[in-house]
Amino acid sequence: MTPTASLRESILQHLRYSFGKDPEHAILEDWRMALSYAVRDRITDAWIAATGKTYDSGAKRVYYLSMEFLIGRLLEDGIVNLELVEEAKAVLEEFGKDYGTVLSDEPDAALGNGGLGRLAACFLESLSTIGCPAHGYGIRYEHGLFRQSFVDGRQVEQPELWLEQRHAWEFERPEVRYRIGFGGHVDKRGETVRWYPGEVVEAEAFDTPVVGWKGRWANTLRLWSGRAIHPFDLDRFNHGDFAGAAQPEALARTISRVLYPDDTTEQGKELRLKQEYFLTAAALRDILRRFNNQFGDLRKLPSKVAIQLNDTHPAIAGPELIRVLHDERGLSFEESMEIARGCLSYTNHTLLPEALETWDEALFGRLLPRHIELIDQIDSTHAKQNPSRLNSMRADHQVKMGQLSFVMAHHVNGVSALHTELMKTTVFEELHGLHPDRIVNETNGVTPRRWLLGCNPRLAGLITESIGEDWVDDLEQLTKLEPFIEDTAWLDRYAQVKRDNKSELSNWMAQAHGLHVDPEMLFDVQIKRLHEYKRQHLNILETIAHWAEIRDNPNADWTPRLKLFGGKAAPGYFFAKDIIRLINDAAAVINADPVTAPYLKIAFLPNYNVSLAERMIPAADLSEQISTAGKEASGTGNMKFALNGAPTVGTLDGANVEIREHVGAENFFLFGMTAEEVMERRKIEGHAWKAVQADPRLKRALDLIRDGRFSPGEPDRYHGITGNLEGADYFLVCSDFTDYWRAQREVDTAFKDTRAWAKMAALNTARSGWFSSDRTIRGYMHDIWGAESLL
Ligand SMILES: *Cc1c(COP(=O)(O)O)cnc(C)c1O
């Protein structure tokens, strides 16, 4: 049977026997599900084979613990990795179904906020492509990140209901359940210590196979769902208390109900700490069960188990592992601590002080009474081993999760070269001095299967036609494109790909959002979470200043530009929400201006998520990576853009530094202060006001906002923003404005030379191969985990 015939057979079988439909009566969702099941069957074969090989080899396994996995849709990923794109299109076409429409029917699994969760998803895919035996452990949130819409320009949040539509990818594992306790008391009898929790919920496993390139390997993403041990209180029911009867179940399920939508501020909420312990304790129980079945001798744990903590969120893994080894299995405290540290490593994701996780010790002690004792014991043991230690994990009645993670990890890594160096001189200065070999760098990456092959088939096709397909899992082969770039006929084809992608996005924007734009414009894109440090307000200020400039001189030779925005603000982050509203308000006024319409348009697309990123990035001409230097740990959006041929306008921040080194300074629009200059600039009194006085364009843009030009009838709507910018301006928007403006005008000039621009874009593609998450994962395997590929 041909692959197409076999896929057809399999789809029709599932339509009939899994969903009870024939092709005549199947609705879109049935087709999507039948195709998903047909693909899933093939993935499952690879998965079971990989699991068998892992057991047989006795190899070390990697466990990636993360509160977030921003996986997005999985059907296209499966089809692409199994190389079934043409077959799937052909079969669907036979039945009069459109491939893109069927794929778009899948809900976007938004089990993460942004970069951190997306990184975890890229890592899982790379681990499978490489054939490194691994599990991802996370929480099966019923509601992922909220759905965003705009009402009068303002962000409105609605709950995300991804599980309401049928979800094709998970296998429920009712036999894998663990009891997870909270609260209660600690009982000490001589040497024996026991924790008796006051409240117990059950964690149930749901497994999703994650397939790698060509289906050579598949690993497991195991997500935990909360449930009650006794879901139903019959006694209460019989007494007529129907709501009360269902209460135990409702309470237990709360734990996996929602993802916290704050990505850069720590809220210190009890439920959040419960979620963190729930994930970590269930994962460790599962890891130890698997280890016991296969090996038994706990002293061997570090040679068979590598546990990576994605940020401090699962930092409780240190004390929890010690608790199990010491309290429950009877090993000495010191030995337990050594074994735990031998298994654990920790990735730091931010230096923002407001994002460093700390817990109120009273709350912590109430919820995890044994763990807080163990943390003190870890702290004092560490202090004894390092007599010069000044700081502690406990200060100001807080438990400091960063310090705990560092002490309990054999390696600590930053996510870009700059970030790793800054870690050594800021948050972890003292600990780095005590343990100078512990901090290593693993610059982030993105998976080329999703972020080039899947989302940009035109470009992927041109690349494969030019250099063969080996680039897909060996991305640095893209440098082989460089000789082609010298050929104008080839370069014209490269440029045509971008034009086609822009037309496709324009058509989609017209159809989905009623936005009509000219695809010939420069597509200037800033898509990422809304945050002051990411400086979407710098972008809109420049846009407003540019608008005013065009109005002064409408007949000049302006480069037509479309400013595209996307991104969600945390529901309680009012400043960020005001920035969204300002962008939408400015868009309403500027888009309606007939004088500037040929040269400038603004669109803020709602509900930015993985699927929207996949649509927008292949169509971008320019990538906005304009954070205040020193604040963006790495960024991964920046890599997706460069790979898809959008040069960056950006600061020397995070991985931008390394992107610029790789693609070449002449193919990158650099502006702004360095991290060092930022720290110096902040010391200058009235720095913002001085910057405003020095730049009439900036002053005019701020005046337009302050005078209500974009908020007619309510001139003070944005006084919070203008006051902040002219006053404290902690993120140095004003100080960087003038140089940002200069860089943008350089972009305007460069874009006019179509061939030179195409060359710059193509060189970005050719030289971004290093930013594959395959390279990142190989780095972790070698430098941190001591794990090997089984392929
Ligand atoms: C890549 C990605 C991010 C991270 O973007 P940054 O620009 O690095 O902050 C966030 N959200 C989604 C949906 C992504 O795909």
Side-chain angles (χ1 to χ4, degrees):
M1 227 193 301
T2 64
T4 307
S6 143
L7 189 66
R8 181 196 307 113
E9 179 76 19
S10 174
I11 292 172
L12 290 175
Q13 286 271 324
H14 277 300
L15 212 48
R16 189 175 189 94
Y17 298 112
S18 302
F19 303 106
K21 292 277 181 83
D22 58 23
E24 287 68 42
H25 297 95
I27 61 168
L28 180 63
E29 192 182 8
D30 297 322
W31 285 105
R32 192 254 301 168
M33 287 298 290
L35 174 59
S36 299
Y37 274 25
V39 171
R40 195 182 75 172
D41 288 348
R42 287 154 175 79
I43 293 175
T44 304
D45 289 335
W47 188 33
I48 288 175
T51 307
K53 263 191 217 165
T54 305
Y55 267 99
D56 295 345
S57 70
K60 186 169 187 177
R61 298 175 192 248
V62 170
Y63 296 103
Y64 198 82
L65 270 58
S66 179
M67 286 287 280
E68 306 191 4
F69 287 93
L70 186 49
I71 49 184
R73 292 178 177 143
L74 294 180
L75 177 53
E76 186 176 22
D77 209 44
I79 293 174
V80 166
N81 270 329
L82 297 178
E83 298 183 286
L84 289 171
V85 177
E86 293 316 314
E87 291 78 359
K89 280 183 182 165
V91 177
L92 290 175
E93 201 170 303
E94 274 178 47
F95 293 100
K97 301 290 152 205
D98 173 61
Y99 178 68
T101 309
V102 172
L103 294 189
S104 304
D105 182 61
E106 182 178 356
D108 204 299
L111 308 183
N113 273 288
L116 174 147
R118 186 52 236 174
L119 183 76
C122 282
F123 279 6
L124 288 182
E125 200 273 352
S126 279
L127 281 160
S128 290
T129 289
I130 290 169
C132 175
H135 279 73
Y137 280 113
I139 293 180
R140 183 177 177 273
Y141 301 107
E142 253 174 79
H143 303 291
L145 188 60
F146 65 86
R147 186 180 290 277
Q148 176 197 56
S149 59
F150 300 132
V151 174
D152 298 330
R154 270 178 290 199
Q155 170 175 297
V156 174
E157 302 102 29
Q158 282 119 11
E160 177 64 54
L161 304 166
W162 71 291
L163 288 171
E164 206 140 89
Q165 290 145 283
R166 281 181 290 177
H167 176 60
W169 303 102
E170 62 184 11
F171 292 87
E172 185 171 3
R173 303 294 193 206
E175 75 280 19
V176 185
R177 289 182 187 164
Y178 300 104
R179 295 185 168 197
I180 309 297
F182 301 98
H185 68 279
V186 176
D187 196 46
K188 294 197 176 85
R189 301 244 167 89
E191 285 295 283
T192 11
V193 183
R194 273 277 179 283
W195 170 34
Y196 294 96
E199 178 198 345
V200 178
V201 298
E202 212 162 50
E204 182 184 5
F206 286 75
D207 287 348
T208 299
V210 180
V211 72
W213 175 231
K214 287 188 189 279
R216 293 183 193 122
W217 192 265
N219 285 316
T220 307
L221 170 59
R222 176 161 279 187
L223 300 178
W224 302 104
S225 182
R227 58 197 315 283
I229 294 171
H230 305 291
F232 187 67
D233 191 332
L234 186 60
D235 201 44
R236 274 175 151 180
F237 187 85
N238 287 340
H239 286 86
D241 180 7
F242 305 130
Q247 212 179 15
E249 180 66 6
L251 276 175
R253 279 176 59 178
T254 304
I255 210 160
S256 50
R257 186 92 65 186
V258 288
L259 165 76
Y260 274 87
D262 245 307
D263 67 335
T264 47
T265 38
E266 206 31 66
Q267 290 231 337
K269 293 276 199 307
E270 176 171 321
L271 180 60
R272 169 73 180 192
L273 183 56
K274 276 184 149 178
Q275 288 184 335
E276 294 182 353
Y277 181 66
F278 174 78
L279 155 68
T280 309
L284 287 177
R285 217 70 61 82
D286 204 41
I287 292 167
L288 288 172
R289 176 192 52 80
R290 197 174 292 115
F291 175 85
N292 270 334
N293 289 343
Q294 213 178 348
F295 306 106
D297 181 1
L298 285 169
R299 286 166 191 86
K300 289 213 183 90
L301 202 63
S303 66
K304 294 296 175 190
V305 166
I307 301 172
Q308 188 68 35
L309 310 179
N310 194 23
D311 213 318
T312 56
H313 314 146
I316 195 70
E320 172 68 3
L321 192 48
I322 293 175
R323 189 187 67 79
V324 175
L325 297 177
H326 179 51
D327 294 0
E328 293 185 1
R329 307 280 179 95
L331 273 61
S332 76
F333 177 85
E334 283 73 17
E335 191 175 18
S336 301
M337 186 166 155
E338 277 320 299
I339 292 173
R341 187 190 282 132
C343 298
L344 297 169
S345 45
Y346 150 60
T347 304
N348 172 275
H349 282 275
T350 177
L351 305 172
L352 294 176
E354 68 270 29
L356 293 176
E357 200 179 10
T358 61
W359 289 101
D360 175 72
E361 64 184 13
L363 184 159
F364 199 101
R366 193 164 8 95
L367 220 55
L368 300 167
R370 177 56 181 150
H371 298 80
I372 201 159
E373 294 176 355
L374 288 166
I375 288 172
D376 286 336
Q377 211 173 339
I378 293 167
D379 206 18
S380 60
T381 305
H382 176 257
K384 232 175 278 160
Q385 291 163 350
N386 301 275
S388 64
R389 168 88 159 149
L390 298 169
N391 294 300
S392 158
M393 290 170 198
R394 297 275 297 277
D396 314 320
H397 304 288
Q398 299 284 310
V399 185
K400 300 185 161 185
M401 305 307 267
Q403 300 276 309
L404 171 63
S405 301
F406 192 112
V407 168
M408 284 309 302
H410 58 86
H411 283 92
V412 175
N413 76 285
V415 288
S416 73
L418 174 67
H419 165 67
T420 299
E421 288 315 303
L422 289 171
M423 271 168 67
K424 295 176 183 171
T425 54
T426 60
V427 268
F428 295 126
E429 189 180 11
E430 190 201 7
L431 286 169
H432 172 60
L434 297 174
H435 310 282
D437 299 328
R438 198 166 293 183
I439 295 184
V440 294
N441 178 54
E442 302 298 345
T443 298
N444 284 168
V446 298
T447 164
R449 273 71 64 189
R450 182 179 289 261
W451 295 110
L452 179 51
L453 183 59
C455 74
N456 197 345
R458 292 187 186 92
L459 181 54
L462 177 61
I463 295 170
T464 298
E465 187 193 312
S466 309
I467 63 169
E469 66 155 20
D470 291 352
W471 61 273
V472 176
D473 64 345
D474 183 9
L475 200 60
E476 291 188 66
Q477 295 219 13
L478 291 181
T479 54
K480 290 187 184 165
L481 291 172
E482 290 209 29
F484 291 90
I485 293 171
E486 299 305 319
D487 170 7
T488 50
W490 190 92
L491 201 55
D492 289 346
R493 291 184 64 199
Y494 184 93
Q496 188 59 41
V497 163
K498 185 64 83 179
R499 266 197 296 280
D500 291 345
N501 289 344
K502 289 167 71 177
S503 296
E504 190 178 322
L505 179 66
S506 304
N507 292 338
W508 178 81
M509 289 194 296
Q511 172 246 316
H513 296 290
L515 288 165
H516 296 275
V517 300
D518 175 2
E520 292 300 313
M521 294 176 118
L522 186 164
F523 282 20
D524 168 338
V525 185
Q526 187 172 21
I527 43 176
K528 46 182 77 247
R529 285 299 291 254
L530 257 289
H531 200 287
E532 286 163 276
Y533 86 78
K534 291 178 183 278
R535 299 199 294 193
Q536 283 90 352
H537 45 348
L538 174 58
N539 188 344
I540 196 64
L541 268 178
E542 187 272 335
T543 308
I544 290 168
H546 187 45
W547 173 62
E549 198 102 336
I550 299 174
R551 285 175 63 88
D552 286 347
N553 192 1
N555 297 317
D557 185 21
W558 304 107
T559 300
R561 215 192 260 240
L562 171 65
K563 287 267 186 181
L564 281 168
F565 291 87
K568 295 174 184 176
Y573 190 176
F574 298 107
F575 196 93
K577 292 172 105 170
D578 277 348
I579 295 174
I580 292 180
R581 192 177 186 194
L582 171 60
I583 295 170
N584 280 324
D585 277 354
V589 171
I590 292 173
N591 293 348
D593 183 344
V595 177
T596 58
Y599 308 116
L600 185 61
K601 291 270 177 171
I602 307 170
F604 200 136
L605 300 183
N607 204 38
Y608 176 56
N609 58 15
V610 173
S611 301
L612 188 55
E614 288 168 358
R615 278 185 200 284
M616 294 178 80
I617 290 168
D621 289 311
L622 183 69
S623 163
E624 296 271 355
Q625 308 299 336
I626 61 176
S627 52
T628 314
K631 293 295 175 190
E632 186 74 86
S634 164
T636 49
N638 47 5
M639 301 166 187
K640 301 167 195 165
F641 281 102
L643 187 59
N644 283 278
T648 305
V649 56
T651 48
L652 281 181
D653 200 15
N656 293 354
V657 177
E658 289 149 274
I659 290 176
R660 181 164 171 268
E661 282 165 8
H662 277 85
V663 304
E666 66 285 7
N667 303 306
F668 186 110
F669 297 92
L670 179 69
F671 78 95
M673 288 176 281
T674 63
E676 244 170 76
E677 287 165 351
V678 160
M679 289 182 241
E680 288 307 309
R681 179 82 193 174
R682 283 212 187 96
K683 295 180 190 155
I684 298 174
E685 182 136 8
H687 55 77
W689 188 83
K690 283 178 183 154
V692 175
Q693 298 313 308
D695 190 332
R697 293 190 180 101
L698 170 58
K699 184 165 185 324
R700 177 152 72 160
L702 285 165
D703 288 345
L704 284 166
I705 298 170
R706 194 185 323 88
D707 298 346
R709 187 71 176 80
F710 309 108
S711 50
E714 196 192 335
D716 60 358
R717 184 179 296 166
Y718 296 114
H719 286 190
I721 293 180
T722 52
N724 177 289
L725 292 181
E726 290 162 330
D729 192 19
Y730 179 76
F731 294 100
L732 301 170
V733 169
C734 292
S735 295
D736 265 346
F737 178 90
T738 308
D739 204 31
Y740 180 55
W741 171 276
R742 173 201 55 74
Q744 289 289 22
R745 301 294 75 80
E746 270 179 32
V747 169
D748 282 340
T749 307
F751 194 71
K752 285 207 183 88
D753 185 342
T754 316
R755 276 238 171 85
W757 184 274
K759 184 172 173 186
M760 201 188 301
L763 284 171
N764 267 267
T765 299
R767 296 174 178 175
S768 291
W770 191 74
F771 297 97
S772 166
S773 46
D774 300 345
R775 184 267 311 150
T776 313
I777 285 298
R778 288 205 173 85
Y780 278 88
M781 288 168 69
H782 177 269
D783 307 338
I784 300 179
W785 300 330
E788 268 161 32
S789 163
L790 294 186
L791 284 175

